[in-house]
Amino acid sequence: ASSLGISSIKVLSKPKVVIIISGDEIINNRNKSGLIFSSNTLTIKKFVQIFGGEVIKILYVKDTMKDIEKEFKKIGKFDILISSGGISMGRYDLIKKFLIKKKVNILFNKVSIKPGKPTIFGKFKNNSYYLGIPGNPVSCFIVCLIFLSLIFKNLFGLKNSFIQFNKIKNIQNINNKTNLTHFMRIKVLERNNKVHIKLNKKQDSSLQKVLNESDGILINKPSKLVNEKKSILEYIKFTDLKNYLV
């Protein structure tokens, strides 16, 4: 552009993202007597960076409507608001109640997946967006991987996904008798130029160590949606995650 004498060009700006982490149990500058550190803060921030966004503010809120209201006033302008925790049906899950009070248009509330079922997506009147993520660390990772990538894909108008979905024959006869799509942690092995997957035995959404030791995620749809015997399964290999960060 410079060699052609063009001094300015139009570019897409990075979406501005605000992160809200809720919970009296979270250790932070406002709550040094908490019980646990928030790994979700770093997980969300990293995915935002990978997908080409910019985190402009991170807020920690206590489990009271008063504190949520107080911190919400500090947010300012944003393109995407992401919250972690406070969106289920528990006594202290107040983020969803607060946003409904603020007249956020909830486009969907809960999805048929495991982990990550309580996920919420909505839209503010000013055309900014809201993504509510469960507090469990594996749920947070899965929701960012699947849903946050879709949000950025559409904001940027991209044709291709950030995620590469690979296919493999279900020779292990992995089945799913529930009504939920399961995102299962796996090891991806290569033997004799062939790819094999090995399911981790422990799949609880609180087990960060299992996620850390995994190579990818198997997408296990309900059996009624697939032919179990010799069916084709999809999986995501973490090293295939495309990075559009410039």
Side-chain angles (χ1 to χ4, degrees):
S2 179
S3 66
L4 296 172
I6 300 172
S7 59
S8 63
I9 58 175
K10 289 184 178 181
V11 297
L12 289 172
S13 62
K14 292 185 176 183
K16 303 293 189 291
V17 179
V18 172
I19 301 172
I20 294 180
I21 306 295
S22 72
D24 290 344
E25 74 279 12
I26 303 298
I27 300 170
N28 56 72
N29 291 335
R30 300 182 66 232
N31 185 25
K32 295 182 179 180
S33 62
L35 300 175
I36 59 173
F37 294 99
S38 173
S39 62
N40 288 0
T41 306
L42 295 177
T43 298
I44 298 169
K45 185 177 180 180
K46 185 60 182 177
F47 271 114
V48 168
Q49 291 172 340
I50 289 173
F51 299 145
E54 179 185 0
V55 175
I56 58 171
K57 196 166 290 185
I58 300 173
L59 299 173
Y60 294 88
V61 299
K62 299 176 182 177
D63 290 323
T64 68
M65 278 290 199
K66 183 178 180 181
D67 193 66
I68 295 170
E69 179 85 51
K70 175 186 171 185
E71 293 301 305
F72 191 81
K73 289 178 180 177
K74 300 177 182 179
I75 290 180
K77 292 183 179 180
F78 59 87
D79 297 303
I80 308 171
L81 173 66
I82 303 172
S83 71
S84 171
I87 59 171
S88 297
M89 299 298 290
R91 178 181 176 185
Y92 297 107
D93 292 321
L94 301 174
I95 296 292
K96 180 170 68 176
K97 293 178 183 178
F98 173 78
L99 290 172
I100 290 173
K101 180 182 173 183
K102 290 294 181 182
K103 301 193 183 318
V104 173
N105 181 19
I106 303 296
L107 299 175
F108 63 76
N109 179 13
K110 295 184 181 179
V111 284
S112 298
I113 64 172
K114 182 181 179 180
K117 185 177 179 181
T119 299
I120 298 173
F121 180 66
K123 188 176 183 180
F124 292 88
K125 287 183 179 180
N126 62 356
N127 288 327
S128 57
Y129 295 91
Y130 167 65
L131 179 65
I133 297 176
N136 277 343
V138 179
S139 298
C140 176
F141 183 93
I142 296 295
V143 172
C144 284
L145 180 67
I146 303 299
F147 291 94
L148 193 56
S149 66
L150 285 172
I151 293 172
F152 275 95
K153 173 182 177 290
N154 285 284
L155 281 177
F156 284 129
L158 300 173
K159 292 182 178 179
N160 298 321
S161 172
F162 290 93
I163 301 169
Q164 180 174 324
F165 294 91
N166 305 288
K167 297 183 184 297
I168 193 168
K169 283 187 177 180
N170 185 13
I171 58 175
Q172 301 178 54
N173 286 328
I174 299 168
N175 57 43
N176 178 3
K177 300 297 185 183
T178 73
N179 292 320
L180 306 176
T181 295
H182 291 185
F183 292 92
M184 310 181 79
R185 276 68 76 203
I186 57 173
K187 295 288 287 183
V188 181
L189 311 170
E190 293 189 18
R191 298 173 186 160
N192 302 321
N193 296 321
K194 289 186 177 182
V195 176
H196 303 268
I197 59 172
K198 181 180 178 182
L199 282 177
N200 286 306
K201 293 181 180 179
K202 297 179 180 179
Q203 294 287 331
D204 190 273
S205 61
S206 66
L207 300 177
Q208 290 175 284
K209 187 173 185 292
V210 174
L211 177 63
N212 182 58
E213 294 172 348
S214 301
D215 298 319
I217 299 291
L218 177 71
I219 303 170
N220 189 12
K221 296 179 181 179
S223 297
K224 64 181 180 180
L225 300 179
V226 295
N227 295 318
E228 281 184 40
K229 192 174 182 181
K230 303 292 183 180
S231 62
I232 302 298
L233 299 175
E234 287 187 319
Y235 70 94
I236 300 165
K237 192 176 179 183
F238 295 148
T239 53
D240 288 338
L241 185 63
K242 297 176 184 177
N243 191 339
Y244 285 87
L245 187 62
V246 271

